[in-house]
């Protein structure tokens, strides 16, 4: 029997970037950069997260080498999510396993099978981070990315088809009747016969229903179309929110959108990212932040920021600000573009300051301080309804990851804001989400 999740407990997941979330932190001694792509290193980090009782490890993904060619290895897809999560499922017991699968580069039937398989192999710990992708299309024979509206229409239909496939088996379909020779009660399998704008799928799925029926659905997109999709289907919303007041507004708007669609807003978890740089004293934490900043490759950073902002910054001095008129009002550039504009124009950051700030945060909030100081901020956000928890971004690995798990999480546990033991056996239970029942009433 599972124990209900306390409403006072935060959601805590971690973005698994083994190179370290702080750009160029792999240059630090002890980074184990030579092991990127191997299982042992990422398994060690995942077991560390599980020992800290985190809800889930979260693997993002990219399907292109564009960032590598700009000198940035941080977000590179060293770990293809489904393969690494399947390997981790075999060597962990409680922690959730969330992976990014883009709706732009595969088919609903493939994704439904992959996630059903992962959910079965992990005994109900799988999660899918739904993204639409804005880059990488040239690797799939598409000359340019479709516009955001088209990508999100496609994603909405994609998710709908996947959910139909997950519902194409009733509970109890597997009977294993040796006497009759029937493995299945075939009357409990249902073709979906979907025909839409983008997909034509017969169904049913060829795999039994998994423990969660629907793996946890995460979504990362704070634009208008992203919020529309996330408020419709998301269980967990990953978002970049560097400032508290806008995050409170975002939280309230997202919950209201979900409520207007007949959803219980408490069953949708808003989880912004935070990069904690931890020290036993404030001075020690600041010294570590300064050390991380010194490892940032400024010329690569110029190229990376220029690519993010769709600008040529080659002639700009590091101590100059990006002129306000260089920025555009273009929703296609996404929500992070607006964050970068705010930091440059309103906060007055120079190019050098912007490079280092974005190396730390990529649009998320970051903080250098003691475990108590960082916990103070996290609790304040949580109590102010700016979020339901946080996606912890480890600044450097393995040392920064260990500091988060050994120093910050216990501080939150001691204050009663995080669990000391897992409440249930599935990711849904540990997030405090209700079980999924068959929407057609066949159960």
């Amino acid at each position: 029997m599972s124990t209900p999740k306390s409403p006072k407990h935060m959601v805590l997941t971690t973005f698994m970037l083994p190179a370290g979330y702080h750009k160029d932190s792999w240059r630090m001694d002890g980074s184990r950069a030579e092991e990127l792509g191997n299982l042992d290193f990422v398994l060690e980090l995942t077991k560390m997260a599980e020992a800290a009782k985190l809800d889930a490890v979260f693997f993002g993904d990219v399907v292109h080498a564009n960032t590598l060619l700009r000198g940035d290895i941080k977000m590179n897809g060293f770990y293809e999510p489904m393969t690494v999560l399947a390997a981790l499922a075999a060597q962990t017991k409680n922690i959730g396993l969330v992976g990014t699968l883009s709706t732009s580069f595969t088919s609903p039937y493939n994704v439904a099978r992959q996630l059903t398989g992962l959910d079965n192999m992990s005994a109900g710990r799988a999660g899918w981070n739904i993204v639409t992708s804005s880059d990488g299309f040239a690797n799939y024979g598409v000359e340019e990315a479709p516009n955001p509206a088209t990508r999100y229409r496609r994603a909405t239909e994609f998710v709908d088809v996947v959910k139909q496939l997950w519902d194409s088996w009733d509970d109890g379909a597997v009977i294993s009747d040796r006497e009759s020779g029937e493995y299945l009660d075939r009357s409990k399998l249902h073709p979906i016969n979907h025909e839409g704008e983008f997909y034509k799928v017969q169904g049913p799925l060829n795999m039994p229903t998994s423990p969660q029926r629907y793996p946890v659905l995460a979504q990362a997109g704070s634009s208008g179309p992203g919020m529309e999709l996330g408020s419709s289907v998301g269980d967990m919303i990953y978002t970049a929110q560097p400032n508290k007041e806008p995050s409170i507004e975002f939280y309230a708007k997202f919950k209201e959108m979900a409520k207007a669609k007949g959803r219980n807003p408490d069953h949708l978890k808003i989880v912004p990212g935070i990069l904690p740089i931890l020290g036993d004293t404030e001075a020690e934490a600041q010294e570590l932040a300064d050390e991380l900043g010194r490892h940032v490759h400024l010329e690569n950073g110029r190229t990376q920021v220029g690519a993010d902002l769709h600008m040529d910054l080659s002639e700009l001095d590091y101590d100059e600000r990006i002129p306000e008129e260089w920025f555009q009002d273009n929703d296609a550039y996404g929500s992070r573009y607006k964050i970068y504009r705010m930091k440059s124009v309103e906060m007055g950051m120079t190019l050098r300051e912007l490079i280092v700030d974005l190396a730390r945060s990529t649009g998320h909030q970051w903080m250098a301080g003691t475990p108590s100081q960082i916990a103070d901020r996290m609790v304040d956000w949580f109590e102010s309804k700016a979020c339901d928890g946080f996606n912890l971004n480890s600044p450097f690995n393995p040392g920064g990851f260990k500091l988060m798990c050994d120093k910050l999480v216990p501080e939150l546990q001691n204050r009663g804001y995080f669990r000391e033991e897992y409440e249930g056996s599935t990711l849904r239970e540990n997030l405090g989400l209700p079980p999924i029942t068959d929407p057609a009433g066949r159960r």
Side-chain angles (χ1 to χ4, degrees), residues 404-424:
M404 290 193 319
C405 293
D406 290 355
K407 302 272 190 177
L408 180 57
V409 173
E411 179 72 25
L412 294 165
Q413 289 170 327
N414 291 339
R415 298 185 188 199
Y417 281 93
F418 194 60
R419 71 166 66 85
E420 297 188 6
E421 293 296 337
Y422 286 102
E423 295 89 354

Side-chain angles (χ1 to χ4, degrees), residues 51-188:
K53 315 301 180 187
L54 297 190
D55 288 287
V57 291
F58 162 43
F59 284 80
D61 196 28
V62 295
V63 292
H64 56 78
N66 299 344
T67 52
L68 287 179
L69 296 171
R70 296 194 287 264
D72 178 13
I73 72 168
K74 177 176 91 170
M75 292 285 188
N76 188 57
F78 294 111
Y79 294 90
E80 188 284 315
M82 289 299 103
T83 48
V84 70
L85 291 174
L88 294 174
Q91 301 198 55
T92 56
K93 183 179 179 182
N94 295 295
I95 196 160
L97 305 166
V98 180
T100 292
L101 287 167
S102 174
T103 59
S104 296
F105 304 121
T106 185
S107 72
Y109 203 88
N110 282 343
V111 167
R113 293 186 72 236
Q114 287 174 300
L115 288 161
T116 295
L118 180 61
D119 206 45
N120 274 317
M121 287 187 285
S122 65
R125 295 184 282 131
W128 172 23
N129 181 46
I130 304 159
V131 301
T132 66
S133 299
S134 59
D135 209 347
F137 286 85
N139 292 327
Y140 293 84
V142 180
E143 290 188 7
E144 59 180 345
N147 63 53
T150 301
R151 297 203 310 267
Y152 275 101
R153 278 204 325 279
R154 179 188 178 106
T156 299
E157 184 181 344
F158 191 113
V159 176
D160 177 57
V161 175
V162 169
K163 291 168 72 175
Q164 289 183 61
L165 289 166
W166 285 334
D167 279 328
S168 65
W169 288 53
D170 294 348
D171 281 356
V174 177
I175 55 176
S176 302
D177 190 331
R178 289 175 172 80
E179 185 173 340
S180 70
E182 294 290 349
Y183 179 75
L184 295 174
D185 178 349
R186 282 171 280 176
S187 69
K188 294 189 174 184

